[in-house]
Amino acid sequence: MKFVIAMILAVATMISMVAAECPNACSAHGKCGAYDMCLCYRNWMSNDCSERICQFGLAHVDTPKGDLDSSSGVLTGPGTTVVTNDAVFPYGTTEQYPATVDADGNVLTNSAHEYRECSNKGMCDRSTGTCACFEGYDGSACQRASCPSNADGVCSGHGTCETISEIAERDFGNVYKLWDEDSTMGCVCDGGYTGSDCSERICKYGADPLYYDDEQNIRYSNWTYQFYTKAAGTTITGNYSLVLYDSFGEDWQTATLDWNATCETVTQALEELPNNVVPAGTVRCYKSDKTNDGVGIGQEADGVEPIYDAGMWLHSKYTIAFPSNTGKLKQIAINKYLDGTRPTLFTDELTPTLGWHIYPNGFTGEDTDMVADRCEDVTVTLNAGTTTHYLGGLDTAETKLLKKCLGDVNGDSTDNVEVYDWDYGTKYNPHLIKLVDATQDSAITTTDQNGDTDTDYQLTQYPVTQLCAKSDSGAKTAAGYDVDGYGIYVCANRNPPGFYAVLYYDTGVSATNPFRLFTRAAADYASTTEFYVYTTTGHLQMVNENSAAYTTADSYSTANKVDLHYSNTLYTTNYTDTQTGNVGAMDCETVDSSLNEYGSLDCLSKNDYVMVLSTGSTTHNAADLAANPIYPNMYTVKKISREDKSLTGENMAFEKDSERIRNQIVLDYSMNTDFRWDGGTTSAVDTAAMVYKFYPPVEAKLYHYAGECSHRGICNTKTGLCDCFPGYSSDNCGMVNALSN
């Protein structure tokens, strides 16, 4: 009997074991649990755990999940969790889009891009656990958009595929932190290629030959670079290379240059770059004769040097210009690492203080002339005053014509005055003009050694310059100066480029010379030199009188100031004590200029044009005038931000955690002057600057004169060659040729 009972119990046990067997033994990818149900291991799913789960990513496009609990009827709301303990949604999910909340439980309204399998841009292959991405998407979770590709490869083999955040970082360190920072992709094309897939060739750049004439000249790139130390008696040893960027943004590095190379050597190195990047005989160069190896300060006099600093010893200083490299070029750079990571330029100091500055001299190249309207029958001279410079040489008729040419100054013609329909201009809205030296176009009268008067009807007189090209060597100016081309001598400055000046009209300052300049171009010219005047229908607008922009602060040490000279970064702060809460911000994202927030008159965004001038004083004083450059630059805003408080930025470790340097504006070029913070309006010597936003003329008033094929031909994007219009020739269609068809 006992045996029978034992057998019955054994059979019952076997029957119960069979009943507890899970489907397919959970395919060896899970554990068999209660109710014959598989509990799948991670990344496996289905009733027998035989199917793989694919990788998840942020959904490119959100899609509804539907009636997940098979309850029929209206879908449950975003706050109701269903399907808990699911392999795909182990913590449950919702039938409607989930209610995204912050750390405090507050519901976030404009949220999207939930984590979804294959990022909602692919189908999961359950046998392998890999995503089969839809066309145009790739990645293990289809998490990124594909870069264009063709038979030549991704980006046509002429570029690199990068994320939008990487592309932003390339652009002056901009930051992109939206949901698709690692999902949206794009091609960064090699120099000379363009298009979304980098398949199109760019043709050679040139200047429209119909743009320039006897009075209108091309503005071209002009930079100064200098090597310095912050201690006397030091010696520099070694060499470096110059890095030049062409019209396409491609970088070209010269052969090795000694730190004290002659201008001839520098010129030769630039003109020997391959592919005729810099045409032979075109580079203009001047090496300062004031610098020396640690003996003396090596600078021009205070007021002549753009930034004079007794704590800076200049060892070599060069100014180079590129008349034949048309268009707006990226600022040159210096490479001192010619042997891997080992610097090849150094000093004999135990703690090196070697550095260099690079800056444009107010004559940057351009693709578009935004100050293109010649004021006919008007020439002016430049004269120096105590607190401003001013325009002279105007008779009554010319004064009337100039007023008419200047016209509106603030974009609002309803407040114009007089029969000339113009504005006087103020420090809030000054006039912007361009001046072109008219010397070579004037029949100059001179007196010879016998006292006889001679008139130069052949126009052999030219403006003179120390910035000379090799082709100028050995020539003679009309004044008889020997021209070396590579030293302290002078050469003819044919077709000099125009430079900007900023003015307002005030008879209260001077009834006889009311056209006052904030800038100080008279420092470089005789009071008899005549200039053509060009005006614009665009206008300048001060951004915020209560926000000061500066590059250095009076409280900084001498060494720190030297490193910050000629920077392309502006720091902005509260300029007055009356605007409580103002931190100097000027960006359109956080400042509402329409409400005149903190006295804001306007705001700035990336790619806005700006000029930076010291005009903040109640009355424009001598310190303001001295702070402004002789030749002001027009800049482009490349980045405007409020930086993290813990970030110090370049050379700013001594200001760590300071609120004062958090608001920053990064410009495309370095500044050729020093704007110094010293307490704002409470200080008589403060020369912090005001930022002016420039509104360009309407498209019809702009002259796009530099571009592919000189705008006188069609670019063949397959070959990269220009097909010139009839009457034009050369590889960039920049030559007028009556025989060309």
Side-chain angles (χ1 to χ4, degrees):
M1 185 65 182
K2 291 181 179 180
F3 176 76
V4 174
I5 293 172
M7 289 295 294
I8 292 172
L9 290 174
V11 171
T13 301
M14 293 177 63
I15 292 173
S16 66
M17 291 177 63
V18 170
E21 180 68 29
C22 286
N24 201 25
C26 298
S27 306
H29 297 305
K31 295 192 302 183
C32 187
Y35 308 108
D36 303 341
M37 185 175 69
C38 290
L39 299 176
C40 300
Y41 297 147
R42 185 178 179 183
N43 294 331
W44 293 90
M45 62 175 289
S46 83
N47 65 327
D48 62 353
C49 302
S50 62
E51 296 182 352
R52 300 290 300 266
I53 297 174
C54 289
Q55 291 197 40
F56 277 57
L58 295 176
H60 295 272
V61 179
D62 290 300
T63 56
K65 300 185 182 76
D67 187 14
L68 297 179
D69 60 1
S70 301
S71 61
S72 71
V74 178
L75 298 178
T76 55
T80 302
T81 301
V82 298
V83 194
T84 56
N85 296 319
D86 180 75
V88 177
F89 303 107
Y91 301 105
T93 186
T94 58
E95 294 182 333
Q96 294 188 32
Y97 189 77
T100 307
V101 298
D102 61 17
D104 296 324
N106 300 313
V107 176
L108 301 177
T109 56
N110 294 313
S111 59
H113 308 288
E114 182 190 7
Y115 271 100
R116 296 300 300 271
E117 199 172 21
C118 299
S119 307
N120 263 358
K121 284 297 180 181
M123 301 298 292
C124 181
D125 184 337
R126 298 298 178 190
S127 63
T128 62
T130 57
C131 292
C133 300
F134 301 152
E135 185 177 1
Y137 297 88
D138 58 32
S140 59
C142 307
Q143 73 272 21
R144 59 177 179 266
S146 305
C147 277
S149 61
N150 53 30
D152 295 321
V154 176
C155 299
S156 306
H158 297 299
T160 56
C161 182
E162 300 184 18
T163 67
I164 191 171
S165 59
E166 291 172 332
I167 295 172
E169 174 64 27
R170 280 175 169 268
D171 185 17
F172 290 83
N174 276 281
V175 177
Y176 187 92
K177 289 293 184 182
L178 300 182
W179 75 271
D180 62 336
E181 59 179 308
D182 297 317
S183 300
T184 297
M185 311 292 291
C187 290
V188 177
C189 300
D190 298 336
Y193 290 86
T194 188
S196 60
D197 60 353
C198 303
S199 63
E200 299 179 358
R201 296 290 300 268
I202 301 176
C203 288
K204 191 168 183 179
Y205 262 53
D208 185 348
L210 298 188
Y211 167 77
Y212 51 94
D213 53 27
D214 291 340
E215 299 162 358
Q216 177 72 288
N217 300 325
I218 295 172
R219 283 170 54 85
Y220 49 82
S221 297
N222 175 320
W223 287 288
T224 292
Y225 69 96
Q226 59 191 27
F227 296 103
Y228 69 86
T229 59
K230 292 178 279 187
T234 57
T235 300
I236 295 180
T237 306
N239 44 55
Y240 66 97
S241 286
L242 279 175
V243 180
L244 176 71
Y245 297 87
D246 62 20
S247 302
F248 314 129
E250 183 68 27
D251 59 300
W252 302 85
Q253 184 166 299
T254 67
T256 300
L257 293 167
D258 183 79
W259 71 271
N260 200 28
T262 64
C263 241
E264 183 172 8
T265 302
V266 172
T267 298
Q268 182 176 342
L270 288 164
E271 294 178 352
E272 286 181 349
L273 289 172
N275 294 354
N276 198 33
V277 172
V278 181
T282 63
V283 176
R284 312 193 79 170
C285 179
Y286 166 65
K287 181 181 179 183
S288 173
D289 63 324
K290 301 294 183 182
T291 56
N292 42 63
D293 192 5
V295 182
I297 201 166
Q299 298 178 58
E300 300 281 357
D302 192 3
V304 177
E305 195 78 39
I307 301 177
Y308 180 89
D309 195 317
M312 177 172 63
W313 281 259
L314 293 188
H315 293 254
S316 58
K317 177 181 179 181
Y318 305 84
T319 299
I320 51 177
F322 301 87
S324 295
N325 290 76
T326 308
K328 186 177 178 66
L329 306 182
K330 185 178 176 180
Q331 184 166 292
I332 61 171
I334 288 173
N335 181 15
K336 73 169 184 177
Y337 294 98
L338 305 181
D339 186 18
T341 59
R342 187 180 74 88
T344 56
L345 194 64
F346 43 87
T347 70
D348 58 354
E349 301 166 284
L350 184 61
T351 303
T353 63
L354 172 67
W356 60 80
H357 298 131
I358 303 172
Y359 59 92
N361 297 289
F363 295 92
T364 54
E366 61 186 9
D367 298 324
T368 302
D369 189 351
M370 296 183 291
V371 189
D373 302 328
R374 166 77 196 285
C375 193
E376 296 290 345
D377 300 321
V378 174
T379 58
V380 299
T381 59
L382 294 171
N383 300 271
T386 304
T387 59
T388 64
H389 288 192
Y390 58 90
L391 300 183
L394 291 161
D395 59 28
T396 302
E398 287 179 311
T399 298
K400 294 177 180 179
L401 287 171
L402 181 56
K403 290 180 178 180
K404 184 65 177 176
C405 291
L406 290 172
D408 181 58
V409 76
N410 59 2
D412 180 9
S413 60
T414 61
D415 61 1
N416 290 358
V417 298
E418 301 179 356
V419 295
Y420 314 109
D421 192 27
W422 80 306
D423 282 325
Y424 286 0
T426 64
K427 73 173 185 177
Y428 302 100
N429 297 102
H431 287 282
L432 175 65
I433 61 173
K434 181 174 66 179
L435 299 173
V436 178
D437 192 330
T439 302
Q440 70 186 58
D441 302 316
S442 305
I444 298 174
T445 300
T446 59
T447 303
D448 63 23
Q449 60 186 0
N450 299 319
D452 297 327
T453 298
D454 299 314
T455 301
D456 178 26
Y457 293 111
Q458 298 300 315
L459 304 182
T460 58
Q461 293 277 11
Y462 286 93
V464 294
T465 180
Q466 292 178 315
L467 191 60
C468 301
K470 187 175 182 180
S471 57
D472 295 317
S473 294
K476 296 277 188 179
T477 67
Y481 295 105
D482 288 324
V483 175
D484 177 283
Y486 300 115
I488 62 173
Y489 303 109
V490 296
C491 55
N493 188 22
R494 294 174 173 84
N495 303 313
F499 58 88
Y500 295 130
V502 180
L503 67 83
Y504 64 98
Y505 183 85
D506 189 351
T507 55
V509 176
S510 172
T512 55
N513 298 296
F515 292 99
R516 315 303 293 188
L517 299 175
F518 285 125
T519 48
R520 51 190 183 96
D524 262 7
Y525 297 93
S527 59
T528 56
T529 303
E530 294 191 338
F531 297 86
Y532 300 121
V533 180
Y534 289 81
T535 60
T536 178
T537 54
H539 68 276
L540 289 167
Q541 172 65 60
M542 180 187 287
V543 177
N544 192 331
E545 186 181 20
N546 299 312
S547 295
Y550 67 94
T551 53
T552 63
D554 201 59
S555 60
Y556 294 173
S557 68
T558 297
N560 288 330
K561 289 175 186 173
V562 170
D563 288 333
L564 291 170
H565 291 333
Y566 303 106
S567 169
N568 72 327
T569 300
L570 279 171
Y571 304 96
T572 62
T573 189
N574 189 350
Y575 193 52
T576 69
D577 293 327
T578 59
Q579 294 290 324
T580 303
N582 178 28
V583 291
M586 299 187 194
D587 60 285
C588 293
E589 185 174 351
T590 63
V591 176
D592 191 343
S593 59
S594 65
L595 299 177
N596 199 30
E597 186 175 15
Y598 300 124
S600 177
L601 303 172
D602 211 323
C603 61
L604 297 176
S605 297
K606 187 178 183 297
N607 293 326
D608 280 342
Y609 297 109
V610 295
M611 299 188 81
V612 188
L613 299 167
S614 181
T615 59
S617 303
T618 304
T619 58
H620 195 67
N621 57 36
D624 290 326
L625 178 64
N628 286 329
I630 295 176
Y631 306 108
N633 291 304
M634 177 78 75
Y635 301 101
T636 302
V637 175
K638 305 307 293 186
K639 179 183 179 182
I640 181 165
S641 61
R642 182 166 172 80
E643 297 294 329
D644 189 282
K645 195 171 183 178
S646 63
L647 301 179
T648 59
E650 184 180 2
N651 299 320
M652 295 299 287
F654 55 91
E655 279 271 39
K656 186 176 181 181
D657 295 331
S658 171
E659 282 287 341
R660 191 170 61 187
I661 65 166
R662 292 186 65 187
N663 290 298
Q664 300 180 14
I665 303 173
V666 178
L667 307 173
D668 56 342
Y669 293 132
S670 299
M671 282 166 285
N672 56 339
T673 191
D674 178 30
F675 295 115
R676 185 164 299 182
W677 169 260
D678 188 30
T681 55
T682 62
S683 171
V685 295
D686 184 282
T687 57
M690 297 291 103
V691 178
Y692 289 84
K693 182 176 180 177
F694 179 66
Y695 287 87
V698 297
E699 182 64 27
K701 291 286 188 177
L702 294 173
Y703 199 132
H704 304 287
Y705 71 87
E708 292 180 84
C709 305
S710 307
H711 295 302
R712 294 296 161 182
I714 300 297
C715 178
N716 185 325
T717 58
K718 292 184 178 180
T719 63
L721 300 177
C722 291
D723 182 11
C724 301
F725 299 149
Y728 300 92
S729 62
S730 84
D731 56 356
N732 66 356
C733 305
M735 181 181 296
V736 177
N737 186 346
L739 301 179
S740 175
N741 58 8

